[in-house]
Amino acid sequence: MEPNKDAFLKSVLQWTIANTDTSSSSNVTPMDPERRIWLKEALETITVDPLKELKDCIARLNNESSDEEKIAALETIQEWCEDLNFANDFHKIGGFNVLRSILVASNPELKWRAADIIATLVQNYEDCQKAVLDADFLPILLNILDSEKENENVLVKTLFAVSALTRDNKDGQEHLLRSDGLSVILRVMCAHTSDRIKTKAAFMLSALCSSEPRASAELHRMGMVSMLVAIYKETEPCPSSEYVLSALLTLAKTNSEALKECCNSDLGLKEVLQARLKAMGNEERFMEESDLCVEFVGILERGQVDCSAER
């Protein structure tokens, strides 16, 4: 039995137990309309054929359905593809073709939902990661990041898709490096003020630096240190500032040249971090960023001592 059907059966059983009067077998009362509707919908859902529903959704996306109908179809696909059993089926029945056509079209409400489905398909699922790479989705996603100027949801969900496609995936990281994807991510982070966009981009860059030394070297060559320091200086304590600092710290830990640049007194990074620590004080909501600042200051102090010794 499919996992989602099993969950519904358990739900029905729990509802039945909770609504059964065991005190008297002869005292039977009619079911109220609201409970009757809930039970009817639950039982109907148990009998749904997921593959048929996915095919119906693909058909709606391929025909002249309204935008509202297409959005509903994408949302249904999203729900089914969260189950790995159906994620692979979606690819086999031609789902990738319809996603590609949506991603290269102009409707942002459809586009971000298509990107979100790709992220769901490839997240921690090696077979789908390979299928998406083989279908050349990465260049399409990178082009969206480079060309989209306004819609925050499109950018955030596309970053999510690229991140899921490359996280702990050597083949995906190789494709990203060959496609000049690192410069695209940097440009997105520098070009937009959105906290959500900066958070997603910084998280992705940090993950790449942690797992791929070539990414660290290339990002340093592109000037990531000075870029992130500038962004951090301009940003008040918030979720994105923590992730920007984490990305910078990860780069310094994984690339010796980046660390040397961070230690350069002309950059003034240690002073920036010390000023931020003072501004954040002991507020609990800033504790994670404060811990990063303390760690980074310690690394910079040791690094500056090492550099002085070398001279």
Side-chain angles (χ1 to χ4, degrees):
M1 180 178 296
E2 291 90 343
N4 61 312
K5 290 186 179 180
D6 190 34
F8 270 106
L9 285 174
K10 288 179 181 178
S11 178
V12 172
L13 177 61
Q14 290 168 356
W15 179 90
T16 303
I17 293 171
N19 290 274
T20 299
D21 183 3
T22 58
S23 62
S24 172
S25 59
S26 60
N27 185 21
V28 180
T29 58
M31 185 183 298
D32 67 66
E34 184 178 345
R35 290 177 176 176
R36 184 184 298 276
I37 291 171
W38 182 91
L39 183 59
K40 180 176 180 292
E41 290 178 348
L43 291 171
E44 286 176 349
T45 305
I46 294 173
T47 63
V48 167
D49 180 347
L51 199 58
K52 180 180 182 302
E53 189 158 9
L54 285 171
K55 289 179 178 178
D56 289 345
C57 288
I58 291 172
R60 269 182 279 158
L61 292 169
N62 278 323
N63 63 26
E64 297 300 320
S65 302
S66 67
D67 286 347
E68 289 75 15
E69 291 172 321
K70 289 183 177 180
I71 287 172
L74 288 169
E75 289 174 345
T76 299
I77 291 171
Q78 171 75 26
E79 291 175 5
W80 283 115
C81 286
E82 288 174 357
D83 187 323
L84 296 184
N85 295 315
F86 307 128
N88 201 37
D89 289 337
F90 179 71
H91 165 48
K92 291 177 179 177
I93 61 176
F96 281 9
N97 291 333
V98 72
L99 290 183
R100 181 183 289 104
S101 65
I102 291 171
L103 289 172
V104 299
S106 58
N107 188 320
E109 292 302 310
L110 300 180
K111 188 177 292 187
W112 76 252
R113 287 176 170 82
D116 200 26
I117 290 172
I118 290 177
T120 300
L121 288 169
V122 302
Q123 198 167 25
N124 304 316
Y125 190 25
E126 189 175 339
D127 288 348
C128 274
Q129 287 176 339
K130 184 178 185 308
V132 167
L133 288 171
D134 290 345
D136 285 331
F137 272 97
L138 184 58
I140 297 173
L141 296 170
L142 292 175
N143 182 63
I144 291 172
L145 292 176
D146 238 359
S147 59
E148 178 60 52
K149 305 302 180 187
E150 297 179 359
N151 193 288
E152 182 183 59
N153 279 336
V154 171
L155 288 166
V156 169
K157 294 301 184 180
T158 305
L159 282 168
F160 179 30
V162 176
S163 179
L165 187 57
T166 56
R167 191 179 312 134
D168 298 322
N169 178 6
K170 292 298 182 183
D171 196 21
Q173 292 167 6
E174 185 66 38
H175 277 73
L176 186 73
L177 289 169
R178 289 204 307 260
S179 303
D180 196 30
L182 295 177
S183 66
V184 174
I185 307 302
L186 273 179
R187 283 197 296 274
V188 169
M189 187 164 62
C190 293
H192 297 275
T193 59
S194 161
D195 195 57
R196 293 173 66 208
I197 292 171
K198 289 187 184 299
T199 296
K200 283 288 185 185
F203 176 81
M204 181 179 174
L205 292 174
S206 184
L208 286 167
C209 288
S210 295
S211 60
E212 176 50 71
R214 289 179 300 163
S216 295
E218 184 65 13
L219 286 166
H220 175 254
R221 187 191 66 78
M222 292 176 180
M224 178 171 159
V225 169
S226 58
M227 290 181 191
L228 292 194
V229 171
I231 291 173
Y232 190 69
K233 284 180 178 179
E234 297 169 357
T235 309
E236 295 295 322
C238 63
S240 68
S241 65
E242 176 190 327
Y243 282 96
V244 168
L245 183 59
S246 178
L248 183 58
L249 177 58
T250 304
L251 179 62
K253 286 180 173 180
T254 56
N255 185 270
S256 59
E257 293 302 315
L259 177 57
K260 287 180 182 179
E261 185 176 350
C262 289
C263 291
N264 190 324
S265 58
D266 292 338
L267 190 64
L269 178 56
K270 188 173 76 168
E271 291 72 23
V272 170
L273 297 174
Q274 289 171 333
R276 180 61 63 91
L277 276 169
K278 185 177 180 180
M280 291 187 293
N282 294 319
E283 290 193 51
E284 187 175 351
R285 61 193 174 118
F286 300 138
M287 286 306 296
E288 291 187 14
E289 186 172 344
S290 294
D291 289 344
L292 290 172
C293 284
V294 170
E295 181 184 0
F296 213 156
V297 168
I299 289 174
L300 293 177
E301 288 177 342
R302 292 192 298 274
Q304 286 169 346
V305 168
D306 292 341
C307 289
S308 297
E310 287 177 7
R311 290 196 293 269

